[in-house]
Amino acid sequence: MNTNSFLLLRLAIGASMLGHGLVRLPKLQTFSHWMVGSFAKSILPQALVIPFSYVLPIAEFIIGLLVITGLFTKPALMAGSLVMIILVFGTCMIENWEALPSQLIHVAFFTMLLQFISSNTWAIDQLLIKQN
């Protein structure tokens, strides 16, 4: 993969994650209530859903910011994959099959970027490497 293609994919998935977090952070409590309500009839205990509902928007925002800037890119891509895998599991627990394709596409983007991480030349990571 060439470096420009990598950059465009990185910016796209980063913008998606950043955007998800950015719109949820100002209404964190409302988002949490919505998520808890969505999982009310699932087998997942509320004791897991409530903290996750507060952590998710923060994680999305931070991961998105890191991926867009290319700072700690590989760990951010790994974290993004993990968040999405957790979301896939949760989506299956509430049988929200309509949301599943979007989450799987996010995992595919993260995985592809991890596979071609050597193409990550337009990134703050590269500046840090050059300084060491």
Side-chain angles (χ1 to χ4, degrees), residues 64-121:
L65 190 61
L66 292 173
V67 170
I68 286 172
T69 61
L71 179 62
F72 308 119
T73 308
K74 189 173 182 178
L77 294 172
M78 292 293 293
S81 297
L82 180 61
V83 166
M84 295 313 298
I85 291 166
I86 293 168
L87 288 173
V88 165
F89 178 77
T91 296
C92 291
M93 294 297 97
I94 60 172
E95 300 182 77
N96 183 4
W97 309 122
E98 297 81 26
L100 201 54
S102 173
Q103 294 166 345
L104 292 172
I105 289 168
H106 278 75
V107 173
F109 269 76
F110 283 125
T111 304
M112 186 182 306
L113 289 169
L114 282 166
Q115 177 67 34
F116 295 102
I117 195 73
S118 61
S119 298
N120 189 34
T121 57

